Coordinates of all heavy atoms in Angstrom, one line a residue:
L1 N 0.8 -1.1 0.0 CA 0.0 0.0 0.1 C 0.8 1.2 0.0 O 0.6 2.2 -0.8 CB -1.0 0.0 1.1 CG -1.9 1.2 1.3 CD1 -3.0 1.1 0.3 CD2 -2.6 1.0 2.7
S2 N 1.9 1.3 0.9 CA 2.7 2.4 0.9 C 3.5 2.7 -0.3 O 3.7 3.9 -0.7 CB 3.6 2.4 2.2 OG 4.4 1.3 2.1
S3 N 4.0 1.7 -1.0 CA 4.9 1.9 -2.1 C 4.0 2.4 -3.3 O 4.4 3.3 -4.1 CB 5.5 0.6 -2.5 OG 4.7 -0.4 -2.9
L4 N 2.7 2.0 -3.4 CA 1.8 2.5 -4.5 C 1.4 3.9 -4.2 O 1.3 4.7 -5.0 CB 0.5 1.6 -4.6 CG 0.8 0.3 -5.1 CD1 -0.3 -0.8 -4.9 CD2 1.3 0.2 -6.6
F5 N 1.1 4.2 -2.9 CA 0.8 5.5 -2.5 C 2.0 6.5 -2.8 O 1.7 7.6 -3.3 CB 0.5 5.6 -0.9 CG 0.3 6.9 -0.4 CD1 -1.0 7.6 -0.5 CD2 1.3 7.6 0.4 CE1 -1.1 8.8 0.0 CE2 1.1 8.9 0.9 CZ -0.1 9.5 0.7
A6 N 3.2 6.1 -2.4 CA 4.4 6.9 -2.8 C 4.5 7.1 -4.2 O 4.8 8.4 -4.6 CB 5.7 6.1 -2.2
K7 N 4.3 6.2 -5.0 CA 4.5 6.4 -6.4 C 3.5 7.4 -6.9 O 3.8 8.3 -7.7 CB 4.3 5.0 -7.3 CG 4.4 5.4 -8.8 CD 4.3 4.1 -9.5 CE 4.5 4.4 -11.0 NZ 4.3 3.3 -11.9
E8 N 2.3 7.5 -6.5 CA 1.2 8.3 -7.0 C 1.3 9.7 -6.4 O 1.0 10.7 -6.9 CB -0.1 7.8 -6.7 CG -1.2 8.5 -7.2 CD -2.5 7.8 -7.2 OE1 -2.7 6.7 -7.6 OE2 -3.6 8.4 -6.7
N9 N 1.9 9.8 -5.2 CA 1.8 11.0 -4.5 C 3.1 11.9 -4.1 O 3.1 13.1 -3.9 CB 1.0 10.9 -3.1 CG -0.4 10.6 -3.4 OD1 -1.1 11.4 -3.7 ND2 -0.8 9.3 -3.2
L10 N 4.2 11.0 -4.0 CA 5.5 11.8 -3.4 C 5.8 13.0 -4.3 O 6.3 14.0 -3.8 CB 6.6 10.8 -3.4 CG 6.6 9.9 -2.3 CD1 7.9 9.0 -2.3 CD2 6.3 10.4 -0.9
N11 N 5.7 12.9 -5.7 CA 6.2 14.1 -6.6 C 5.3 15.2 -6.4 O 5.6 16.2 -6.9 CB 6.2 13.6 -7.9 CG 5.0 13.1 -8.5 OD1 4.0 13.0 -7.9 ND2 4.9 12.9 -9.8
R12 N 4.1 15.1 -5.7 CA 3.2 16.3 -5.6 C 3.2 16.8 -4.1 O 2.5 17.8 -3.9 CB 1.8 15.8 -5.9 CG 1.6 15.4 -7.3 CD 0.2 15.1 -7.7 NE 0.0 13.7 -7.2 CZ -1.3 13.2 -7.2 NH1 -2.3 13.9 -7.4 NH2 -1.4 12.1 -6.9
M13 N 4.0 16.2 -3.3 CA 3.9 16.6 -1.9 C 4.8 17.8 -1.6 O 5.9 17.9 -2.2 CB 4.3 15.4 -0.9 CG 3.3 14.4 -0.9 SD 4.0 13.1 0.4 CE 2.6 12.1 0.4
S14 N 4.4 18.7 -0.7 CA 5.3 19.7 -0.3 C 6.4 19.1 0.6 O 6.3 17.9 1.1 CB 4.5 20.8 0.6 OG 4.1 20.1 1.8
E15 N 7.4 20.0 1.0 CA 8.4 19.5 1.9 C 7.8 19.1 3.2 O 8.4 18.1 3.8 CB 9.6 20.6 2.0 CG 10.6 20.2 2.8 CD 11.8 21.2 2.9 OE1 11.8 22.2 2.1 OE2 12.8 21.0 3.8
Q16 N 6.9 19.8 3.7 CA 6.4 19.6 5.0 C 5.7 18.2 5.0 O 5.8 17.3 5.9 CB 5.3 20.6 5.6 CG 4.6 20.3 6.8 CD 3.7 21.3 7.2 OE1 3.3 22.1 6.4 NE2 3.2 21.1 8.4
Q17 N 4.9 17.8 3.8 CA 4.2 16.6 3.7 C 5.2 15.5 3.6 O 5.0 14.5 4.1 CB 3.3 16.6 2.5 CG 2.1 17.5 2.7 CD 1.2 17.7 1.6 OE1 1.8 17.9 0.2 NE2 0.0 17.5 1.6
L18 N 6.4 15.8 2.8 CA 7.3 14.8 2.7 C 7.8 14.3 4.1 O 8.1 13.1 4.4 CB 8.4 15.1 1.8 CG 8.0 15.2 0.2 CD1 9.2 15.9 -0.5 CD2 7.7 13.9 -0.3
N19 N 8.0 15.4 4.9 CA 8.7 15.1 6.3 C 7.7 14.2 7.1 O 8.1 13.4 7.7 CB 9.1 16.4 6.9 CG 10.3 17.0 6.3 OD1 11.1 16.3 5.8 ND2 10.4 18.3 6.5
L20 N 6.4 14.6 7.0 CA 5.4 13.9 7.7 C 5.3 12.4 7.2 O 5.0 11.6 8.0 CB 4.0 14.6 7.5 CG 3.8 15.9 8.1 CD1 2.5 16.6 7.7 CD2 3.7 15.8 9.7
Y21 N 5.3 12.3 5.9 CA 5.4 10.9 5.4 C 6.5 10.1 5.9 O 6.5 8.9 6.2 CB 5.3 11.0 3.8 CG 5.4 9.5 3.1 CD1 4.2 8.8 3.3 CD2 6.4 9.1 2.5 CE1 4.0 7.5 2.8 CE2 6.3 7.8 2.0 CZ 5.2 7.1 2.1 OH 5.0 5.8 1.6
D22 N 7.8 10.7 5.8 CA 9.0 10.1 6.3 C 8.8 9.6 7.7 O 9.1 8.5 8.1 CB 10.2 11.0 6.2 CG 11.4 10.4 6.6 OD1 12.0 9.5 5.9 OD2 11.9 10.8 7.6
R23 N 8.3 10.5 8.5 CA 8.0 10.1 10.0 C 7.0 9.0 10.0 O 7.2 8.1 10.9 CB 7.5 11.4 10.7 CG 7.5 11.2 12.1 CD 7.3 12.6 12.8 NE 6.7 12.3 14.1 CZ 5.4 12.7 14.5 NH1 4.6 13.3 13.8 NH2 5.0 12.3 15.6
L24 N 6.0 9.1 9.3 CA 5.0 7.9 9.3 C 5.5 6.6 8.9 O 5.2 5.7 9.7 CB 3.8 8.4 8.4 CG 2.7 7.3 8.2 CD1 1.9 7.0 9.5 CD2 1.7 7.8 7.0
I25 N 6.3 6.6 7.9 CA 6.8 5.2 7.5 C 8.0 4.8 8.4 O 8.4 3.6 8.4 CB 7.1 5.2 6.0 CG1 8.2 6.2 5.6 CG2 5.9 5.4 5.2 CD1 8.7 6.0 4.2
N26 N 8.6 5.7 9.1 CA 9.8 5.2 9.8 C 9.7 5.2 11.4 O 10.5 4.4 12.0 CB 10.9 6.3 9.6 CG 11.5 5.9 8.1 OD1 11.9 4.9 7.8 ND2 11.5 7.1 7.3
E27 N 8.8 5.9 11.9 CA 8.7 5.9 13.4 C 7.8 4.7 13.9 O 8.4 4.1 15.0 CB 8.1 7.3 14.0 CG 9.2 8.4 13.8 CD 8.7 9.7 14.5 OE1 7.8 9.6 15.3 OE2 9.4 10.6 14.2
P28 N 6.6 4.4 13.5 CA 6.0 3.3 14.0 C 6.8 2.0 14.1 O 7.5 1.7 13.1 CB 4.9 3.1 13.3 CG 4.6 4.5 12.6 CD 6.0 5.0 12.4
S29 N 6.7 1.2 15.1 CA 7.7 0.1 15.1 C 7.0 -1.1 14.4 O 7.7 -2.2 14.1 CB 7.9 -0.4 16.6 OG 6.6 -0.7 17.2
N30 N 5.8 -1.0 14.0 CA 5.1 -2.1 13.4 C 4.4 -1.6 12.1 O 3.5 -0.8 12.2 CB 4.0 -2.8 14.4 CG 3.4 -3.9 13.6 OD1 3.5 -4.2 12.6 ND2 2.8 -4.8 14.6
D31 N 4.9 -2.1 10.8 CA 4.3 -1.6 9.6 C 2.8 -1.9 9.5 O 2.0 -1.2 8.9 CB 4.9 -2.2 8.5 CG 6.3 -1.6 8.2 OD1 6.6 -0.6 8.8 OD2 7.1 -2.3 7.5
W32 N 2.2 -3.0 10.4 CA 0.9 -3.3 10.2 C 0.0 -2.2 10.9 O -1.2 -2.0 10.5 CB 0.7 -4.7 11.0 CG 0.9 -5.8 10.0 CD1 2.1 -6.5 10.1 CD2 0.1 -6.3 8.9 NE1 2.0 -7.5 9.0 CE2 0.8 -7.3 8.3 CE3 -1.0 -5.9 8.3 CZ2 0.4 -8.1 7.2 CZ3 -1.5 -6.5 7.3 CH2 -0.9 -7.6 6.7
D33 N 0.5 -1.5 11.9 CA -0.1 -0.4 12.4 C -0.6 0.6 11.3 O -1.7 1.1 11.4 CB 0.7 0.3 13.6 CG 0.7 -0.6 14.8 OD1 -0.2 -1.5 15.1 OD2 1.7 -0.4 15.5
I34 N 0.4 0.9 10.5 CA 0.2 2.0 9.5 C -1.0 1.4 8.6 O -1.8 2.1 8.2 CB 1.5 2.0 8.5 CG1 2.5 2.7 9.5 CG2 1.1 3.1 7.5 CD1 4.0 2.8 8.9
Y35 N -0.9 0.1 8.2 CA -2.0 -0.4 7.4 C -3.2 -0.4 8.2 O -4.3 0.1 7.5 CB -1.6 -2.0 7.1 CG -2.7 -2.5 6.3 CD1 -2.8 -2.4 4.9 CD2 -3.6 -3.5 7.0 CE1 -3.9 -3.1 4.2 CE2 -4.7 -4.0 6.2 CZ -4.8 -3.8 4.9 OH -5.7 -4.4 4.2
Y36 N -3.4 -0.6 9.5 CA -4.6 -0.6 10.2 C -5.1 0.8 10.3 O -6.4 1.0 10.2 CB -4.5 -1.2 11.6 CG -4.1 -2.7 11.6 CD1 -3.2 -3.3 12.5 CD2 -4.9 -3.6 10.7 CE1 -3.0 -4.7 12.5 CE2 -4.5 -4.9 10.7 CZ -3.6 -5.4 11.6 OH -3.4 -6.8 11.6
W37 N -4.2 1.7 10.4 CA -4.7 3.1 10.5 C -5.2 3.6 9.0 O -6.2 4.3 9.0 CB -3.6 4.0 10.8 CG -2.9 3.7 12.2 CD1 -3.5 3.1 13.3 CD2 -1.6 4.0 12.6 NE1 -2.6 3.0 14.2 CE2 -1.4 3.5 13.9 CE3 -0.4 4.6 12.1 CZ2 -0.2 3.6 14.6 CZ3 0.7 4.7 12.6 CH2 0.9 4.3 13.9
A38 N -4.5 3.2 8.0 CA -4.9 3.6 6.7 C -6.2 3.1 6.3 O -7.0 3.6 5.6 CB -3.8 3.3 5.7
T39 N -6.5 1.8 6.8 CA -7.8 1.1 6.4 C -8.8 1.5 7.4 O -9.9 0.8 7.3 CB -7.5 -0.4 6.2 OG1 -7.0 -0.9 7.4 CG2 -6.6 -0.6 5.0
E40 N -8.5 2.2 8.4 CA -9.5 2.5 9.5 C -9.9 1.3 10.4 O -11.0 1.4 11.0 CB -10.6 3.4 8.9 CG -10.2 4.6 8.2 CD -11.3 5.5 7.7 OE1 -11.9 6.2 8.5 OE2 -11.6 5.3 6.4
A41 N -9.1 0.4 10.4 CA -9.5 -0.8 11.2 C -9.0 -0.5 12.7 O -9.6 -1.1 13.6 CB -8.5 -2.0 10.8
K42 N -8.2 0.5 12.8 CA -7.8 1.1 14.2 C -7.7 2.5 14.1 O -7.2 3.0 13.0 CB -6.5 0.4 14.6 CG -6.4 -1.1 15.0 CD -5.0 -1.5 15.5 CE -5.0 -2.9 15.8 NZ -3.7 -3.3 16.4
P43 N -7.9 3.3 15.1 CA -7.8 4.8 15.2 C -6.3 5.1 15.0 O -5.5 4.4 15.6 CB -8.4 5.1 16.4 CG -8.4 4.0 17.3 CD -8.5 2.8 16.4
T44 N -6.1 6.1 14.4 CA -4.8 6.7 14.1 C -4.4 7.5 15.4 O -5.2 8.4 15.9 CB -4.7 7.6 12.9 OG1 -5.2 6.9 11.7 CG2 -3.3 8.1 12.7
P45 N -3.1 7.2 16.0 CA -2.8 8.0 17.1 C -2.5 9.4 16.7 O -2.2 9.8 15.6 CB -1.3 7.4 17.5 CG -1.3 6.1 16.9 CD -2.2 6.2 15.6
A46 N -2.8 10.3 17.6 CA -2.8 11.9 17.5 C -1.5 12.2 16.7 O -1.5 13.1 15.9 CB -3.0 12.5 18.8
E47 N -0.4 11.7 17.1 CA 0.9 12.1 16.5 C 1.1 11.9 15.1 O 1.9 12.4 14.4 CB 2.1 11.6 17.4 CG 2.3 10.1 17.3 CD 1.7 9.3 18.5 OE1 0.6 9.9 19.0 OE2 2.1 8.2 18.8
F48 N 0.2 10.9 14.6 CA 0.2 10.6 13.1 C -0.9 11.1 12.4 O -1.1 10.9 11.3 CB 0.5 9.1 12.9 CG 1.8 8.6 13.5 CD1 1.8 7.8 14.6 CD2 3.0 9.1 12.9 CE1 3.1 7.3 15.1 CE2 4.3 8.5 13.4 CZ 4.3 7.7 14.5
E49 N -1.8 11.8 13.1 CA -3.0 12.3 12.4 C -2.7 13.6 11.9 O -2.6 14.5 12.5 CB -4.1 12.4 13.5 CG -5.5 12.7 12.8 CD -6.0 11.6 11.9 OE1 -6.1 10.6 12.2 OE2 -6.1 12.1 10.7
N50 N -2.6 13.6 10.5 CA -2.3 14.8 9.8 C -2.8 14.7 8.3 O -3.5 13.6 7.9 CB -0.7 15.1 9.8 CG 0.1 13.8 9.3 OD1 -0.2 13.3 8.2 ND2 0.9 13.4 10.2
D51 N -2.5 15.7 7.5 CA -3.0 15.6 6.1 C -2.4 14.4 5.3 O -3.1 13.9 4.4 CB -2.9 16.9 5.4 CG -1.4 17.4 5.2 OD1 -0.5 17.0 6.2 OD2 -1.1 18.0 4.1
V52 N -1.2 14.0 5.5 CA -0.6 12.8 4.9 C -1.4 11.6 5.2 O -1.7 10.7 4.3 CB 0.9 12.8 5.1 CG1 1.5 11.5 4.5 CG2 1.6 13.9 4.5
M53 N -1.8 11.5 6.4 CA -2.5 10.3 6.9 C -3.9 10.2 6.2 O -4.3 9.3 5.8 CB -2.5 10.3 8.4 CG -3.1 9.0 9.1 SD -2.0 7.5 8.7 CE -3.1 6.4 8.0
A54 N -4.5 11.4 6.1 CA -5.7 11.5 5.5 C -5.5 11.1 4.1 O -6.5 10.5 3.4 CB -6.2 12.9 5.6
M55 N -4.6 11.6 3.4 CA -4.3 11.2 1.9 C -4.2 9.7 1.8 O -4.6 9.0 1.0 CB -3.0 11.9 1.3 CG -3.1 13.3 1.3 SD -1.6 14.1 1.0 CE -1.0 13.4 -0.6
L56 N -3.4 9.1 2.8 CA -3.2 7.7 2.7 C -4.5 6.9 2.9 O -4.8 5.9 2.3 CB -2.2 7.3 3.7 CG -1.8 5.7 3.8 CD1 -1.3 5.2 2.5 CD2 -0.8 5.5 4.9
R57 N -5.3 7.4 3.9 CA -6.6 6.7 4.0 C -7.5 6.8 2.9 O -8.1 5.8 2.5 CB -7.3 7.5 5.3 CG -7.0 6.9 6.5 CD -7.9 7.3 7.7 NE -8.1 8.6 7.8 CZ -7.3 9.5 8.7 NH1 -6.4 8.8 9.4 NH2 -7.5 10.8 8.7
E58 N -7.5 8.0 2.2 CA -8.2 8.2 1.0 C -7.7 7.2 -0.1 O -8.5 6.5 -0.8 CB -8.2 9.6 0.6 CG -9.3 10.0 -0.5 CD -10.7 9.8 -0.1 OE1 -10.9 9.9 1.0 OE2 -11.5 9.6 -0.9
F59 N -6.5 7.0 -0.3 CA -5.8 6.3 -1.3 C -6.2 4.8 -0.9 O -6.5 3.9 -1.9 CB -4.3 6.4 -1.2 CG -3.6 5.6 -2.1 CD1 -3.5 5.8 -3.5 CD2 -3.0 4.3 -1.8 CE1 -2.8 5.2 -4.4 CE2 -2.3 3.6 -2.7 CZ -2.2 3.9 -4.0
A60 N -6.2 4.4 0.2 CA -6.6 2.9 0.7 C -7.9 2.7 0.3 O -8.2 1.4 0.1 CB -6.3 2.7 2.1
K61 N -8.9 3.5 0.2 CA -10.3 3.3 -0.1 C -10.3 2.8 -1.6 O -11.4 2.0 -2.0 CB -11.1 4.6 0.1 CG -11.3 4.8 1.5 CD -12.0 6.2 1.7 CE -12.2 6.6 3.1 NZ -12.9 7.8 3.4
N62 N -9.4 3.1 -2.4 CA -9.3 2.7 -3.8 C -10.7 2.9 -4.6 O -11.2 1.9 -5.2 CB -8.8 1.2 -3.9 CG -8.4 0.8 -5.2 OD1 -8.3 1.7 -6.1 ND2 -8.3 -0.5 -5.4
K63 N -11.2 4.2 -4.6 CA -12.4 4.4 -5.1 C -12.4 4.2 -6.7 O -13.4 4.0 -7.1 CB -12.8 5.9 -4.9 CG -13.1 6.1 -3.4 CD -13.5 7.5 -3.1 CE -13.7 7.7 -1.6 NZ -14.2 9.1 -1.4
K64 N -11.3 4.2 -7.3 CA -11.2 3.9 -8.8 C -11.3 2.5 -9.0 O -11.2 2.0 -10.2 CB -10.1 4.6 -9.4 CG -10.0 6.1 -9.2 CD -8.7 6.6 -9.9 CE -8.6 8.1 -9.8 NZ -7.3 8.6 -10.3
K65 N -11.1 1.6 -7.9 CA -11.3 0.2 -8.1 C -10.0 -0.4 -8.9 O -10.1 -1.3 -9.8 CB -12.4 -0.4 -8.8 CG -13.7 0.1 -7.9 CD -13.8 -0.6 -6.6 CE -15.1 -0.2 -5.9 NZ -15.2 -0.1 -4.5
E66 N -8.8 0.3 -8.8 CA -7.6 -0.1 -9.5 C -7.1 -1.5 -9.0 O -7.3 -1.9 -7.7 CB -6.5 0.9 -9.2 CG -6.9 2.3 -9.8 CD -5.9 3.3 -9.4 OE1 -5.5 3.2 -8.2 OE2 -5.6 4.1 -10.2
Q67 N -6.6 -2.3 -9.9 CA -5.8 -3.4 -9.4 C -4.6 -3.1 -8.8 O -3.7 -2.5 -9.4 CB -5.6 -4.5 -10.6 CG -6.8 -5.3 -10.8 CD -6.4 -6.5 -11.7 OE1 -5.5 -6.3 -12.4 NE2 -7.2 -7.7 -11.5
R68 N -4.3 -3.5 -7.4 CA -3.1 -3.2 -6.8 C -2.5 -4.4 -6.3 O -2.5 -4.8 -5.0 CB -3.4 -2.4 -5.7 CG -3.9 -0.9 -6.1 CD -4.3 0.0 -5.0 NE -4.8 1.3 -5.4 CZ -5.2 2.2 -4.6 NH1 -5.4 1.8 -3.4 NH2 -5.7 3.4 -5.0
L69 N -2.0 -5.3 -7.3 CA -1.7 -6.7 -6.9 C -0.2 -6.8 -6.6 O 0.3 -7.7 -6.0 CB -2.0 -7.7 -8.0 CG -3.6 -7.7 -8.2 CD1 -3.8 -8.5 -9.5 CD2 -4.4 -8.1 -7.1
R70 N 0.6 -5.8 -7.0 CA 2.1 -5.8 -6.8 C 2.7 -4.5 -6.6 O 2.0 -3.5 -7.0 CB 2.8 -6.5 -8.0 CG 2.6 -5.9 -9.3 CD 3.3 -6.7 -10.5 NE 3.7 -5.8 -11.6 CZ 4.8 -5.3 -11.6 NH1 5.8 -5.4 -10.8 NH2 5.1 -4.6 -12.7
Q71 N 3.8 -4.4 -6.1 CA 4.5 -3.1 -5.9 C 4.8 -2.6 -7.2 O 5.2 -3.2 -8.3 CB 5.8 -3.3 -5.0 CG 5.4 -3.7 -3.5 CD 6.6 -3.8 -2.7 OE1 7.7 -3.7 -3.2 NE2 6.4 -4.1 -1.5
P72 N 5.0 -1.3 -7.3 CA 5.4 -0.7 -8.7 C 6.8 -0.9 -8.8 O 7.7 -1.1 -7.9 CB 5.1 0.8 -8.3 CG 5.2 1.1 -6.9 CD 4.7 -0.2 -6.3
D73 N 7.3 -0.8 -10.1 CA 8.7 -0.8 -10.4 C 9.3 0.3 -9.9 O 8.6 1.5 -9.8 CB 8.8 -1.0 -12.1 CG 8.4 -2.3 -12.5 OD1 8.3 -3.3 -11.8 OD2 7.8 -2.2 -13.6
L74 N 10.6 0.4 -9.7 CA 11.2 1.5 -9.1 C 11.8 2.5 -10.2 O 12.2 3.6 -9.7 CB 12.4 1.0 -8.2 CG 12.0 0.2 -7.0 CD1 13.2 -0.3 -6.3 CD2 11.1 0.9 -6.1
E75 N 11.6 2.3 -11.4 CA 12.1 3.2 -12.5 C 11.4 4.7 -12.2 O 12.1 5.6 -12.6 CB 11.7 2.7 -13.9 CG 12.6 1.7 -14.3 CD 12.1 0.3 -13.7 OE1 11.0 0.1 -13.4 OE2 12.9 -0.7 -13.8
Y76 N 10.2 4.7 -11.7 CA 9.6 6.0 -11.5 C 10.4 6.9 -10.6 O 10.4 8.1 -10.7 CB 8.2 5.9 -11.0 CG 8.1 5.6 -9.5 CD1 8.0 6.6 -8.5 CD2 8.1 4.3 -9.0 CE1 7.9 6.5 -7.2 CE2 8.1 4.1 -7.6 CZ 8.0 5.1 -6.7 OH 7.9 4.9 -5.3
L77 N 11.3 6.3 -9.8 CA 12.2 7.2 -8.9 C 13.1 8.0 -9.6 O 13.5 9.0 -9.1 CB 12.8 6.3 -7.8 CG 11.9 5.6 -6.9 CD1 12.8 4.7 -6.0 CD2 11.2 6.7 -5.9
F78 N 13.6 7.5 -10.7 CA 14.6 8.2 -11.6 C 14.1 9.0 -12.6 O 14.9 9.7 -13.4 CB 15.5 7.2 -12.0 CG 16.1 6.2 -11.0 CD1 15.6 4.9 -10.8 CD2 17.0 6.7 -10.2 CE1 16.1 4.1 -9.9 CE2 17.5 5.9 -9.2 CZ 17.0 4.7 -9.0
E79 N 12.7 9.1 -12.8 CA 12.1 9.9 -13.9 C 11.9 11.4 -13.4 O 11.7 11.6 -12.2 CB 10.6 9.3 -14.2 CG 10.8 8.0 -14.8 CD 9.4 7.3 -15.1 OE1 8.3 8.1 -14.7 OE2 9.2 6.2 -15.6
P80 N 12.1 12.3 -14.2 CA 11.8 13.7 -13.8 C 10.5 13.8 -13.5 O 9.6 13.3 -14.1 CB 12.3 14.5 -15.0 CG 12.4 13.6 -16.1 CD 12.5 12.2 -15.7
P81 N 10.1 14.7 -12.5 CA 8.8 15.0 -12.0 C 7.9 15.7 -13.2 O 8.3 16.2 -14.0 CB 8.9 15.8 -10.7 CG 10.2 16.3 -10.6 CD 11.1 15.5 -11.7

């Protein structure tokens, strides 16, 4: 979920949002917690409740019904924005 979210959103995020995203993916000790927060299976702790978490929750809803069966290729990291 996070790699697909990153591919779709990182190039559009402000520096502040990138810092929030970095904190979100690096501070929790359990990646499953992030998944549970994004899918609203568990409430998000106050320290991670911000606009990036809201974006991730919205992305997790997959309103376009996209197939998300595998992680994206990493070539997008080297493409100009």
